[in-house]
């Protein structure tokens, strides 16, 4: 164990030009204005120990730089726009403990910015560089150390030499990040491939694994074995009725052989995420009650999948999945009444309480909301287009203590999730290597 994170070693990055063009895209949209993007803050775990570092996604999207204590200032001018990267100068003593730092000289060359400055000069630099600027785009809450409002607060009123209008910088990156470029698509595909390989290897092992926590560690070690460099989010492994808790944290409790186990996890690669959920019988055979519920969720997944194409919306996908889930709840004898009436009264909501999709990218729950034609639109109603990546993940969660549910179905929790890329033809399922049909899963589990 090291006391804090190992900083990434300097290395040439083929996608650097992608970062330059993303910055240019923003500079074009902020003529006469400026935008500040801060690196994520390091968080203390306890005393002198820090949590594992994770870079701010917007800052990473525009720089590819993974060190803390850094900020990117973009100054949009009609002529001669400027990008300035603030970072830490190299410190031999810090490097002895925590590994090599990039430092100013190498950063200028590597990131192809117009200028680099020491982060310790940020406050003075902002006062100097923004004295003629009225609007600053900034993400409130992104880093309390470099909170511009706080750095320049004044009890007597606005300052003459500092922007008087703050705009949310996440709206600048949001509309770019929702449509993935080629390099992003290949990184997300790679993360999905790693996750899929690890799942295929874990599934037949589950009959021998003693606890949820143990299964999570094995899965995560397989991610690393296949080249994953991190987790997209804390792994969810839930045996039996634990699967009725949506984000159950793996425990030392057993993986019950006669119950289903829900596995929702994803490797990350170069900060890009993936997301797969499968719910399987560790023994290799679904009981008839488990199969009944599974088939409802599997059908909802297929109905959702059919809606994954350009000009459809996440709301259309959700409605298709809701309809299949509600019809399934009627078939299972859990709901009674007419389908449309049960959908409009949200009768399904005690058993399916989340939405079907979330955008996915640098964040596993990626950007929202998004500007379209100058208007801010809810992400679910944005027409899909090639380059959009999101999940589809219907589920059914039947609480063990709900007396309205037939006894044989109580305590069953099932979610099935794939990561989807929209393309010109329709869509591509990036996690299809792990099948979702009961028959194929049983064959894999039995080995
Ligand atoms: Mn998900």
């Amino acid at each position: 164990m090291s006391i804090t994170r190992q900083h990434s070693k300097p290395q040439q990055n083929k996608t650097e030009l992608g970062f330059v063009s993303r910055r240019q895209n923003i500079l074009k949209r902020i003529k006469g204005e400026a935008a500040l993007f801060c690196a994520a803050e390091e968080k203390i775990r306890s005393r002198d120990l820090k949590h594992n570092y994770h870079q701010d996604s917007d800052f990473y999207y525009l720089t590819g730089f993974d060190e803390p204590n850094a900020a990117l200032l973009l100054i949009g001018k009609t002529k001669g726009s400027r990008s300035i990267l603030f970072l830490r100068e190299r410190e031999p003593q810090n490097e002895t403990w925590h590994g090599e730092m990039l430092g100013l000289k190498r950063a200028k060359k590597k990131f192809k910015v117009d200028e680099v400055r020491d982060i310790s000069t940020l406050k003075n630099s902002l006062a100097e560089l923004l004295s003629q600027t009225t609007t600053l785009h900034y993400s409130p809450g992104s880093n309390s150390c470099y909170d511009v409002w706080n750095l320049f607060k004044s009890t007597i009123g606005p300052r003459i030499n500092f922007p008087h209008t703050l705009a949310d910088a996440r709206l600048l990156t949001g509309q770019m990040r929702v449509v993935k470029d080629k390099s992003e698509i290949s990184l997300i595909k790679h993360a999905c491939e790693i996750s899929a390989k690890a799942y295929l290897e874990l599934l037949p092992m589950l009959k021998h694994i003693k606890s949820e926590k143990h299964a999570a560690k094995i899965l995560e070690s397989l991610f690393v074995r296949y080249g994953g460099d991190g987790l997209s989010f804390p792994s969810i492994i839930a045996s039996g009725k634990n699967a009725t808790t949506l984000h159950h944290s793996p425990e030392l409790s057993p993986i019950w052989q006669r119950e289903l186990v829900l596995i929702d996890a994803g490797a990350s690669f170069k900060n890009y995420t993936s997301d797969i959920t499968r719910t399987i019988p560790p023994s290799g055979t679904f009981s008839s009650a488990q199969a009944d519920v599974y088939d409802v969720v599997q059908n909802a997944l297929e109905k959702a999948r059919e809606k994954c194409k350009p000009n459809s919306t996440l709301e259309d996908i959700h409605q298709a999945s809701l309809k299949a889930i509600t019809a399934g709840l009627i078939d299972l004898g859990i709901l009674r009444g007419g389908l449309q009436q049960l959908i409009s009264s949200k009768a399904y909501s005690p058993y399916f309480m989340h939405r079907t999709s979330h955008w996915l990218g640098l964040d596993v729950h990626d950007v929202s909301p998004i500007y379209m034609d100058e208007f801010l639109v809810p992400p679910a109603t944005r027409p899909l287009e090639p380059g959009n990546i999101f999940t589809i993940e219907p589920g059914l969660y039947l609480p063990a203590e709900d007396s309205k549910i037939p006894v044989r179905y109580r305590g069953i929790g099932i979610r099935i999730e794939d990561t989807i890329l929209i393309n010109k033809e329709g869509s591509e399922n990036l996690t299809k290597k792990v099948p979702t049909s009961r028959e194929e899963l049983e064959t894999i589990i039995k080995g």
Side-chain angles (χ1 to χ4, degrees):
M1 191 204 75
S2 64
I3 292 183
T4 59
R5 71 184 284 267
Q6 289 292 312
H7 298 310
S8 54
K9 290 250 166 30
Q11 54 180 313
Q12 281 302 314
N13 185 342
K14 280 183 193 156
T15 56
E16 276 155 27
L17 288 174
F19 296 115
V20 174
S21 79
R22 290 172 196 164
R23 296 196 291 266
Q24 282 165 347
N25 181 321
I26 289 186
L27 282 165
K28 272 186 223 149
R29 288 187 284 141
I30 56 165
K31 295 262 165 67
E33 302 172 350
L36 182 71
F37 296 91
C38 296
E41 200 171 339
E42 291 184 291
K43 298 279 191 225
I44 299 293
R45 178 173 140 170
S46 181
R47 283 175 56 88
D48 61 347
L49 195 62
K50 289 169 184 163
H51 282 287
N52 286 343
Y53 187 70
H54 188 79
Q55 186 55 282
D56 177 89
S57 297
D58 279 338
F59 180 78
Y60 188 83
Y61 181 73
L62 296 170
T63 61
F65 189 31
D66 231 349
E67 283 191 24
N69 298 93
L72 173 72
L73 180 66
L74 300 176
I75 305 175
K77 290 184 178 165
T78 327
K79 274 188 185 172
S81 293
R82 286 168 81 188
S83 57
I84 302 168
L85 181 66
F86 295 83
L87 73 159
R88 300 172 305 180
E89 189 47 287
R90 297 183 67 179
E91 296 166 48
Q93 209 180 356
N94 189 9
E95 292 192 1
T96 303
W97 283 90
H98 307 308
E100 195 172 336
M101 301 157 74
L102 189 65
L104 270 62
K105 198 173 154 195
R106 288 190 292 184
K108 181 156 191 314
K109 198 169 164 218
K110 179 176 166 70
F111 298 116
K112 300 183 169 54
V113 285
D114 299 313
E115 197 185 331
V116 288
R117 295 194 184 195
D118 195 306
I119 185 74
S120 64
T121 71
L122 183 70
K123 186 178 173 181
N124 289 342
S125 291
L126 290 178
E128 168 209 332
L129 295 162
L130 301 183
S131 63
Q132 304 296 318
T133 309
T134 56
T135 300
L136 176 65
H137 299 259
Y138 174 73
S139 305
S142 59
N143 189 323
S144 65
C145 305
Y146 311 125
D147 184 294
V148 282
W149 229 219
N150 213 19
L151 282 177
F152 291 92
K153 68 184 173 189
S154 156
T155 51
I156 54 168
R159 294 166 57 111
I160 292 171
N161 64 344
F162 197 73
H164 52 67
T165 303
L166 271 196
D168 197 326
R170 290 167 292 198
L171 294 169
L172 292 172
T173 48
Q175 54 186 311
M176 296 165 68
R177 284 177 54 189
V178 76
V179 183
K180 272 68 185 172
D181 62 32
K182 267 191 192 159
S183 70
E184 294 187 285
I185 291 170
S186 78
L187 292 169
I188 294 168
K189 276 188 176 175
H190 190 56
C192 287
E193 297 262 318
I194 291 166
S195 297
K197 274 190 202 166
Y199 265 68
L200 289 174
E201 202 161 318
L202 177 78
L203 297 188
M205 293 166 78
L206 280 162
K207 50 182 151 324
H208 306 298
I209 295 173
K210 290 292 183 238
S211 73
E212 295 170 344
K213 209 181 248 292
H214 188 200
K217 294 302 169 196
I218 290 174
L219 180 64
E220 289 164 10
S221 79
L222 290 166
F223 289 163
V224 177
R225 173 172 170 186
Y226 292 118
D229 56 17
L231 298 180
S232 302
F233 54 92
S235 305
I236 297 163
I237 300 212
S239 169
K241 66 178 181 180
N242 288 343
T244 61
T245 300
L246 301 181
H247 287 176
H248 173 76
S249 193
E251 294 169 0
L252 282 173
S253 55
I255 289 182
W256 305 103
Q257 292 304 301
R258 293 188 177 189
E259 309 283 342
L260 296 176
V261 57
L262 182 153
I263 307 144
D264 181 353
S268 67
F269 182 68
K270 296 199 172 188
N271 289 11
Y272 280 87
T273 60
S274 63
D275 197 355
I276 308 184
T277 307
R278 293 292 181 266
T279 308
I280 61 114
S283 65
T285 310
F286 284 87
S287 73
S288 94
Q290 290 164 353
D292 290 348
V293 183
Y294 190 91
D295 290 349
V296 171
V297 181
Q298 158 81 355
N299 180 44
L301 183 81
E302 278 167 20
K303 293 290 181 299
R305 182 72 210 283
E306 288 166 13
K307 296 279 179 192
C308 295
K309 54 191 173 196
N311 294 320
S312 178
T313 65
L314 296 189
E315 182 60 25
D316 296 337
I317 293 169
H318 185 53
Q319 289 304 324
S321 132
L322 272 186
K323 194 172 166 190
I325 289 283
T326 308
L329 283 165
I330 297 170
D331 293 343
L332 294 173
I334 296 170
L335 294 181
R336 275 164 228 267
L339 179 61
Q340 279 315 319
Q341 189 270 328
L342 291 170
I343 291 173
S344 51
S345 65
K346 299 190 173 160
Y348 54 81
S349 65
Y351 313 112
F352 178 39
M353 60 297 279
H354 57 79
R355 293 193 58 90
T356 303
S357 299
H358 56 80
W359 304 106
L360 177 142
L362 279 168
D363 287 292
V364 70
H365 296 163
D366 216 39
V367 289
S368 63
I370 296 147
Y371 266 120
M372 273 187 67
D373 304 327
E374 309 294 310
F375 294 103
L376 210 49
V377 298
T381 58
R382 186 183 196 280
L384 295 172
E385 62 182 292
N388 286 154
I389 297 184
F390 55 88
T391 64
I392 45 174
E393 48 177 315
L396 263 181
Y397 313 91
L398 308 175
E401 60 286 346
D402 186 333
S403 59
K404 293 193 284 297
I405 299 172
V407 175
R408 61 199 298 256
Y409 299 138
R410 288 184 203 169
I412 293 179
I414 293 175
R415 178 165 62 250
I416 318 175
E417 175 178 33
D418 281 318
T419 300
I420 304 291
L421 164 69
I422 294 293
N423 56 26
K424 277 187 203 145
E425 295 74 41
S427 66
E428 182 181 350
N429 178 359
L430 304 183
T431 45
K432 64 172 177 290
K433 287 207 176 139
V434 192
T436 56
S437 79
R438 279 195 287 118
E439 297 70 21
E440 284 173 282
L441 284 171
E442 287 185 345
T443 308
I444 291 168
I445 296 159
K446 284 175 182 156

